[in-house]
Amino acid sequence: MSSHHVRRLVIMRHAKADWPGGVADHERPLEERGHREAPLAGRWLLKHNIVPDFILCSSALRTRQTCTWVCSELGDKAPTPKLEDGLYAASALRMLTVVNHVPDTVTTLMLIAHLPGVQDLAMHLASRDSDHDAYMDAATRFPTNALTVLETEKPWAELDGQDARITRFAVPRSR
């Protein structure tokens, strides 16, 4: 792949959420561990030189809080995230529709959302030439704070399935 045509998609599951009684699912906050670990995802992105120029984030509280922590670690490199109601409780195909509408000027897109959609989307897009270990990790487990990085030469509007290579899977955790 020629590097100047490569687009990267970072699919992230929100950090660990709490289950407080009487709170609607959409308004569930991060729990203490989530607040500790979400910034680690931002540090991981910086360490691996994967800095999004556009972030799509589910409108749920736990994804917004995760996004805030990631962006605080990215500092002045962080783009202004776009909250997207359509990513809350969305299927992989619904998420893909949102990705398909991203402008071609975006070269590294980050999507922060929920299971099972994030895992299903990664598997739907994964091509046969994906990194085997990263593919297997993304396929068999997708814990909170997990990141899957995919690369493609296709424009966002043309992504439809098995046309992006999984290059990395990571779960930044506190020790």
Side-chain angles (χ1 to χ4, degrees), residues 89-140:
S91 68
L93 293 180
R94 172 71 189 113
M95 289 182 183
L96 182 56
T97 299
V98 173
V99 170
N100 289 153
H101 286 90
V102 170
D104 275 342
T105 53
V106 174
T107 57
T108 300
L109 170 63
M110 183 171 195
L111 184 145
I112 305 173
H114 315 267
L115 271 187
V118 287
Q119 183 178 35
D120 293 347
L121 178 61
M123 294 299 93
H124 179 75
L125 290 174
S127 63
R128 295 182 191 280
D129 61 342
S130 292
D131 176 89
H132 178 75
D133 291 340
Y135 177 93
M136 292 307 294
D137 283 344
T140 57

Short mmCIF file of all heavy atoms in Angstrom, two decimals, residues 89-140:
data_model
loop_
_atom_site.label_atom_id
_atom_site.label_comp_id
_atom_site.label_asym_id
_atom_site.label_seq_id
_atom_site.Cartn_x
_atom_site.Cartn_y
_atom_site.Cartn_z
N ALA A 89 -26.16 1.94 20.38
CA ALA A 89 -26.86 0.66 20.19
C ALA A 89 -26.99 0.30 18.71
O ALA A 89 -27.96 -0.33 18.29
CB ALA A 89 -28.23 0.68 20.87
N ALA A 90 -26.02 0.70 17.92
CA ALA A 90 -26.09 0.51 16.46
C ALA A 90 -25.50 -0.83 16.05
O ALA A 90 -24.55 -1.32 16.65
CB ALA A 90 -25.34 1.63 15.75
N SER A 91 -26.07 -1.39 15.00
CA SER A 91 -25.50 -2.59 14.38
C SER A 91 -24.26 -2.20 13.59
O SER A 91 -24.02 -1.01 13.33
CB SER A 91 -26.52 -3.20 13.42
OG SER A 91 -26.70 -2.32 12.31
N ALA A 92 -23.49 -3.20 13.19
CA ALA A 92 -22.30 -2.94 12.37
C ALA A 92 -22.68 -2.22 11.09
O ALA A 92 -22.00 -1.28 10.67
CB ALA A 92 -21.60 -4.26 12.05
N LEU A 93 -23.77 -2.62 10.45
CA LEU A 93 -24.15 -2.00 9.18
C LEU A 93 -24.60 -0.56 9.38
O LEU A 93 -24.34 0.30 8.53
CB LEU A 93 -25.21 -2.83 8.47
CG LEU A 93 -24.71 -4.20 7.99
CD1 LEU A 93 -25.83 -4.97 7.29
CD2 LEU A 93 -23.49 -4.08 7.09
N ARG A 94 -25.24 -0.27 10.51
CA ARG A 94 -25.63 1.12 10.80
C ARG A 94 -24.37 1.96 11.02
O ARG A 94 -24.26 3.08 10.55
CB ARG A 94 -26.53 1.15 12.04
CG ARG A 94 -26.85 2.54 12.55
CD ARG A 94 -27.79 3.30 11.61
NE ARG A 94 -27.88 4.69 12.02
CZ ARG A 94 -27.42 5.71 11.31
NH1 ARG A 94 -26.84 5.52 10.15
NH2 ARG A 94 -27.54 6.95 11.74
N MET A 95 -23.39 1.39 11.76
CA MET A 95 -22.13 2.11 11.98
C MET A 95 -21.41 2.34 10.65
O MET A 95 -20.85 3.41 10.41
CB MET A 95 -21.22 1.32 12.92
CG MET A 95 -21.69 1.32 14.35
SD MET A 95 -20.51 0.40 15.39
CE MET A 95 -21.36 0.48 16.96
N LEU A 96 -21.43 1.32 9.78
CA LEU A 96 -20.77 1.46 8.49
C LEU A 96 -21.41 2.57 7.66
O LEU A 96 -20.71 3.33 6.98
CB LEU A 96 -20.81 0.13 7.73
CG LEU A 96 -20.12 0.12 6.37
CD1 LEU A 96 -18.66 0.55 6.48
CD2 LEU A 96 -20.23 -1.26 5.73
N THR A 97 -22.72 2.71 7.74
CA THR A 97 -23.41 3.79 7.03
C THR A 97 -22.90 5.15 7.50
O THR A 97 -22.70 6.06 6.70
CB THR A 97 -24.94 3.68 7.25
OG1 THR A 97 -25.38 2.43 6.72
CG2 THR A 97 -25.68 4.81 6.56
N VAL A 98 -22.67 5.28 8.82
CA VAL A 98 -22.13 6.53 9.37
C VAL A 98 -20.72 6.76 8.82
O VAL A 98 -20.38 7.86 8.37
CB VAL A 98 -22.15 6.50 10.92
CG1 VAL A 98 -21.43 7.72 11.49
CG2 VAL A 98 -23.59 6.43 11.43
N VAL A 99 -19.89 5.71 8.82
CA VAL A 99 -18.52 5.81 8.30
C VAL A 99 -18.54 6.18 6.82
O VAL A 99 -17.73 7.00 6.35
CB VAL A 99 -17.74 4.49 8.53
CG1 VAL A 99 -16.41 4.49 7.77
CG2 VAL A 99 -17.52 4.26 10.02
N ASN A 100 -19.46 5.61 6.06
CA ASN A 100 -19.56 5.88 4.63
C ASN A 100 -19.83 7.35 4.31
O ASN A 100 -19.60 7.79 3.18
CB ASN A 100 -20.66 5.03 3.98
CG ASN A 100 -20.33 3.55 3.87
OD1 ASN A 100 -21.23 2.71 3.86
ND2 ASN A 100 -19.06 3.19 3.82
N HIS A 101 -20.30 8.12 5.29
CA HIS A 101 -20.59 9.54 5.06
C HIS A 101 -19.47 10.47 5.52
O HIS A 101 -19.62 11.69 5.46
CB HIS A 101 -21.91 9.91 5.75
CG HIS A 101 -23.11 9.37 5.03
ND1 HIS A 101 -23.65 8.14 5.29
CD2 HIS A 101 -23.83 9.90 4.02
CE1 HIS A 101 -24.66 7.92 4.48
NE2 HIS A 101 -24.79 8.97 3.69
N VAL A 102 -18.35 9.90 5.97
CA VAL A 102 -17.21 10.71 6.39
C VAL A 102 -16.54 11.32 5.16
O VAL A 102 -16.36 10.62 4.14
CB VAL A 102 -16.21 9.85 7.21
CG1 VAL A 102 -14.90 10.58 7.45
CG2 VAL A 102 -16.86 9.42 8.53
N PRO A 103 -16.16 12.59 5.20
CA PRO A 103 -15.52 13.23 4.06
C PRO A 103 -14.17 12.56 3.70
O PRO A 103 -13.45 12.09 4.59
CB PRO A 103 -15.27 14.67 4.52
CG PRO A 103 -16.13 14.87 5.72
CD PRO A 103 -16.37 13.52 6.32
N ASP A 104 -13.85 12.53 2.42
CA ASP A 104 -12.61 11.91 1.95
C ASP A 104 -11.36 12.63 2.44
O ASP A 104 -10.27 12.08 2.37
CB ASP A 104 -12.58 11.85 0.42
CG ASP A 104 -13.30 10.61 -0.09
OD1 ASP A 104 -13.50 9.66 0.70
OD2 ASP A 104 -13.65 10.60 -1.28
N THR A 105 -11.50 13.85 2.93
CA THR A 105 -10.34 14.57 3.45
C THR A 105 -9.84 13.96 4.75
O THR A 105 -8.71 14.22 5.16
CB THR A 105 -10.70 16.05 3.69
OG1 THR A 105 -11.88 16.10 4.51
CG2 THR A 105 -10.96 16.78 2.38
N VAL A 106 -10.66 13.14 5.42
CA VAL A 106 -10.26 12.49 6.67
C VAL A 106 -9.37 11.30 6.33
O VAL A 106 -9.74 10.43 5.55
CB VAL A 106 -11.50 12.02 7.46
CG1 VAL A 106 -11.09 11.21 8.68
CG2 VAL A 106 -12.36 13.21 7.86
N THR A 107 -8.17 11.26 6.93
CA THR A 107 -7.26 10.15 6.67
C THR A 107 -7.21 9.15 7.83
O THR A 107 -6.98 7.97 7.61
CB THR A 107 -5.83 10.64 6.37
OG1 THR A 107 -5.39 11.44 7.46
CG2 THR A 107 -5.80 11.45 5.08
N THR A 108 -7.42 9.62 9.06
CA THR A 108 -7.48 8.72 10.22
C THR A 108 -8.76 9.03 10.99
O THR A 108 -8.90 10.09 11.59
CB THR A 108 -6.25 8.88 11.13
OG1 THR A 108 -5.07 8.57 10.37
CG2 THR A 108 -6.32 7.92 12.32
N LEU A 109 -9.67 8.07 10.93
CA LEU A 109 -10.98 8.21 11.55
C LEU A 109 -11.04 7.33 12.80
O LEU A 109 -10.63 6.17 12.76
CB LEU A 109 -12.06 7.76 10.57
CG LEU A 109 -13.49 7.60 11.10
CD1 LEU A 109 -14.04 8.94 11.58
CD2 LEU A 109 -14.39 7.00 10.03
N MET A 110 -11.54 7.89 13.89
CA MET A 110 -11.75 7.11 15.10
C MET A 110 -13.24 7.06 15.38
O MET A 110 -13.93 8.07 15.27
CB MET A 110 -11.02 7.74 16.29
CG MET A 110 -11.13 6.94 17.56
SD MET A 110 -10.02 7.61 18.83
CE MET A 110 -10.05 6.24 19.98
N LEU A 111 -13.71 5.86 15.73
CA LEU A 111 -15.12 5.66 16.04
C LEU A 111 -15.19 5.06 17.45
O LEU A 111 -14.54 4.05 17.71
CB LEU A 111 -15.72 4.71 14.99
CG LEU A 111 -17.20 4.42 15.06
CD1 LEU A 111 -17.73 4.28 13.65
CD2 LEU A 111 -17.47 3.15 15.82
N ILE A 112 -15.91 5.71 18.35
CA ILE A 112 -16.03 5.23 19.73
C ILE A 112 -17.49 4.86 19.97
O ILE A 112 -18.37 5.73 19.90
CB ILE A 112 -15.56 6.29 20.75
CG1 ILE A 112 -14.13 6.74 20.45
CG2 ILE A 112 -15.67 5.75 22.18
CD1 ILE A 112 -13.64 7.90 21.31
N ALA A 113 -17.73 3.57 20.24
CA ALA A 113 -19.11 3.12 20.38
C ALA A 113 -19.19 1.88 21.28
O ALA A 113 -18.40 1.76 22.23
CB ALA A 113 -19.72 2.88 19.00
N HIS A 114 -20.10 0.98 20.97
CA HIS A 114 -20.51 -0.08 21.89
C HIS A 114 -20.47 -1.47 21.26
O HIS A 114 -20.55 -1.60 20.04
CB HIS A 114 -21.97 0.17 22.33
CG HIS A 114 -22.24 1.57 22.71
ND1 HIS A 114 -22.15 2.02 24.01
CD2 HIS A 114 -22.59 2.66 21.97
CE1 HIS A 114 -22.44 3.31 24.05
NE2 HIS A 114 -22.71 3.72 22.83
N LEU A 115 -20.43 -2.49 22.13
CA LEU A 115 -20.65 -3.87 21.69
C LEU A 115 -22.14 -4.06 21.44
O LEU A 115 -22.93 -3.41 22.08
CB LEU A 115 -20.22 -4.86 22.78
CG LEU A 115 -18.78 -5.34 22.79
CD1 LEU A 115 -18.63 -6.44 23.85
CD2 LEU A 115 -18.30 -5.85 21.47
N PRO A 116 -22.53 -4.95 20.58
CA PRO A 116 -21.67 -5.78 19.73
C PRO A 116 -21.24 -5.08 18.44
O PRO A 116 -20.44 -5.61 17.68
CB PRO A 116 -22.57 -6.99 19.41
CG PRO A 116 -23.95 -6.40 19.38
CD PRO A 116 -23.96 -5.32 20.44
N GLY A 117 -21.75 -3.87 18.21
CA GLY A 117 -21.51 -3.17 16.95
C GLY A 117 -20.06 -2.97 16.59
O GLY A 117 -19.66 -3.19 15.44
N VAL A 118 -19.22 -2.56 17.58
CA VAL A 118 -17.81 -2.28 17.26
C VAL A 118 -17.08 -3.55 16.80
O VAL A 118 -16.34 -3.52 15.82
CB VAL A 118 -17.07 -1.61 18.44
CG1 VAL A 118 -17.51 -0.16 18.61
CG2 VAL A 118 -17.22 -2.38 19.73
N GLN A 119 -17.32 -4.65 17.50
CA GLN A 119 -16.66 -5.91 17.13
C GLN A 119 -17.21 -6.41 15.79
O GLN A 119 -16.43 -6.82 14.91
CB GLN A 119 -16.89 -6.96 18.21
CG GLN A 119 -16.17 -8.27 17.92
CD GLN A 119 -16.36 -9.28 19.05
OE1 GLN A 119 -17.42 -9.34 19.67
NE2 GLN A 119 -15.32 -10.06 19.31
N ASP A 120 -18.51 -6.34 15.61
CA ASP A 120 -19.12 -6.80 14.36
C ASP A 120 -18.62 -5.96 13.17
O ASP A 120 -18.37 -6.50 12.09
CB ASP A 120 -20.64 -6.73 14.44
CG ASP A 120 -21.22 -7.73 15.44
OD1 ASP A 120 -20.50 -8.64 15.90
OD2 ASP A 120 -22.42 -7.58 15.79
N LEU A 121 -18.46 -4.66 13.37
CA LEU A 121 -17.96 -3.80 12.29
C LEU A 121 -16.52 -4.16 11.93
O LEU A 121 -16.19 -4.28 10.74
CB LEU A 121 -18.05 -2.32 12.69
CG LEU A 121 -17.51 -1.33 11.65
CD1 LEU A 121 -18.28 -1.43 10.34
CD2 LEU A 121 -17.57 0.10 12.20
N ALA A 122 -15.68 -4.35 12.94
CA ALA A 122 -14.28 -4.72 12.67
C ALA A 122 -14.21 -6.03 11.87
O ALA A 122 -13.47 -6.14 10.89
CB ALA A 122 -13.49 -4.85 13.98
N MET A 123 -15.03 -7.00 12.27
CA MET A 123 -15.03 -8.30 11.58
C MET A 123 -15.62 -8.20 10.18
O MET A 123 -15.16 -8.85 9.25
CB MET A 123 -15.80 -9.34 12.41
CG MET A 123 -15.15 -9.69 13.74
SD MET A 123 -13.49 -10.41 13.56
CE MET A 123 -12.43 -9.00 13.69
N HIS A 124 -16.62 -7.34 10.03
CA HIS A 124 -17.26 -7.15 8.72
C HIS A 124 -16.27 -6.52 7.72
O HIS A 124 -16.24 -6.90 6.55
CB HIS A 124 -18.50 -6.27 8.87
CG HIS A 124 -19.21 -5.99 7.59
ND1 HIS A 124 -20.01 -6.93 6.96
CD2 HIS A 124 -19.24 -4.88 6.81
CE1 HIS A 124 -20.49 -6.40 5.85
NE2 HIS A 124 -20.03 -5.16 5.73
N LEU A 125 -15.47 -5.58 8.21
CA LEU A 125 -14.53 -4.87 7.33
C LEU A 125 -13.23 -5.62 7.10
O LEU A 125 -12.52 -5.37 6.12
CB LEU A 125 -14.22 -3.48 7.90
CG LEU A 125 -15.37 -2.48 7.86
CD1 LEU A 125 -14.96 -1.20 8.57
CD2 LEU A 125 -15.80 -2.19 6.42
N ALA A 126 -12.88 -6.54 8.01
CA ALA A 126 -11.57 -7.20 7.97
C ALA A 126 -11.36 -7.99 6.69
O ALA A 126 -12.16 -8.86 6.33
CB ALA A 126 -11.41 -8.11 9.18
N SER A 127 -10.25 -7.70 6.02
CA SER A 127 -9.90 -8.42 4.79
C SER A 127 -9.05 -9.63 5.11
O SER A 127 -8.55 -9.79 6.23
CB SER A 127 -9.14 -7.48 3.84
OG SER A 127 -7.93 -7.07 4.45
N ARG A 128 -8.87 -10.48 4.12
CA ARG A 128 -8.11 -11.72 4.30
C ARG A 128 -6.64 -11.46 4.63
O ARG A 128 -5.98 -12.34 5.18
CB ARG A 128 -8.21 -12.58 3.05
CG ARG A 128 -9.61 -13.06 2.79
CD ARG A 128 -9.66 -13.96 1.56
NE ARG A 128 -11.00 -14.23 1.13
CZ ARG A 128 -11.81 -15.14 1.67
NH1 ARG A 128 -11.39 -15.85 2.68
NH2 ARG A 128 -13.02 -15.32 1.19
N ASP A 129 -6.11 -10.30 4.25
CA ASP A 129 -4.69 -10.03 4.52
C ASP A 129 -4.47 -9.28 5.83
O ASP A 129 -3.42 -8.70 6.07
CB ASP A 129 -4.04 -9.29 3.34
CG ASP A 129 -4.68 -7.94 3.06
OD1 ASP A 129 -5.81 -7.68 3.53
OD2 ASP A 129 -4.04 -7.13 2.37
N SER A 130 -5.47 -9.34 6.73
CA SER A 130 -5.31 -8.74 8.05
C SER A 130 -4.21 -9.45 8.84
O SER A 130 -3.94 -10.63 8.59
CB SER A 130 -6.62 -8.86 8.84
OG SER A 130 -7.63 -8.05 8.27
N ASP A 131 -3.62 -8.74 9.78
CA ASP A 131 -2.65 -9.35 10.70
C ASP A 131 -3.39 -10.45 11.46
O ASP A 131 -4.43 -10.20 12.09
CB ASP A 131 -2.13 -8.30 11.67
CG ASP A 131 -1.20 -8.89 12.70
OD1 ASP A 131 0.01 -8.94 12.42
OD2 ASP A 131 -1.68 -9.30 13.78
N HIS A 132 -2.85 -11.67 11.40
CA HIS A 132 -3.56 -12.83 11.96
C HIS A 132 -3.82 -12.69 13.46
O HIS A 132 -4.96 -12.90 13.92
CB HIS A 132 -2.77 -14.12 11.69
CG HIS A 132 -3.42 -15.33 12.28
ND1 HIS A 132 -4.54 -15.91 11.73
CD2 HIS A 132 -3.13 -16.04 13.40
CE1 HIS A 132 -4.91 -16.94 12.47
NE2 HIS A 132 -4.07 -17.05 13.50
N ASP A 133 -2.81 -12.32 14.23
CA ASP A 133 -2.99 -12.22 15.68
C ASP A 133 -3.99 -11.12 16.05
O ASP A 133 -4.85 -11.32 16.91
CB ASP A 133 -1.66 -11.98 16.39
CG ASP A 133 -0.74 -13.19 16.31
OD1 ASP A 133 -1.23 -14.32 16.06
OD2 ASP A 133 0.49 -13.01 16.48
N ALA A 134 -3.87 -9.97 15.40
CA ALA A 134 -4.79 -8.86 15.67
C ALA A 134 -6.22 -9.25 15.29
O ALA A 134 -7.18 -8.97 16.02
CB ALA A 134 -4.35 -7.60 14.92
N TYR A 135 -6.36 -9.94 14.15
CA TYR A 135 -7.69 -10.39 13.71
C TYR A 135 -8.29 -11.35 14.73
O TYR A 135 -9.45 -11.21 15.11
CB TYR A 135 -7.57 -11.07 12.33
CG TYR A 135 -8.89 -11.63 11.83
CD1 TYR A 135 -9.72 -10.87 11.01
CD2 TYR A 135 -9.31 -12.90 12.19
CE1 TYR A 135 -10.93 -11.36 10.56
CE2 TYR A 135 -10.53 -13.41 11.76
CZ TYR A 135 -11.33 -12.63 10.94
OH TYR A 135 -12.54 -13.13 10.51
N MET A 136 -7.51 -12.33 15.17
CA MET A 136 -8.01 -13.32 16.12
C MET A 136 -8.39 -12.67 17.45
O MET A 136 -9.41 -13.03 18.06
CB MET A 136 -7.00 -14.45 16.33
CG MET A 136 -6.81 -15.32 15.10
SD MET A 136 -8.35 -15.99 14.41
CE MET A 136 -8.86 -17.08 15.74
N ASP A 137 -7.58 -11.72 17.91
CA ASP A 137 -7.91 -11.02 19.15
C ASP A 137 -9.23 -10.25 19.02
O ASP A 137 -10.10 -10.32 19.89
CB ASP A 137 -6.80 -10.05 19.56
CG ASP A 137 -5.60 -10.75 20.19
OD1 ASP A 137 -5.72 -11.92 20.60
OD2 ASP A 137 -4.54 -10.11 20.28
N ALA A 138 -9.38 -9.53 17.92
CA ALA A 138 -10.61 -8.75 17.71
C ALA A 138 -11.82 -9.66 17.55
O ALA A 138 -12.92 -9.32 17.97
CB ALA A 138 -10.45 -7.84 16.49
N ALA A 139 -11.61 -10.82 16.94
CA ALA A 139 -12.72 -11.75 16.70
C ALA A 139 -13.17 -12.46 17.97
O ALA A 139 -14.36 -12.75 18.13
CB ALA A 139 -12.32 -12.78 15.66
N THR A 140 -12.24 -12.74 18.87
CA THR A 140 -12.57 -13.58 20.02
C THR A 140 -12.84 -12.80 21.30
O THR A 140 -13.43 -13.33 22.23
CB THR A 140 -11.45 -14.61 20.31
OG1 THR A 140 -10.22 -13.91 20.51
CG2 THR A 140 -11.30 -15.57 19.13
#
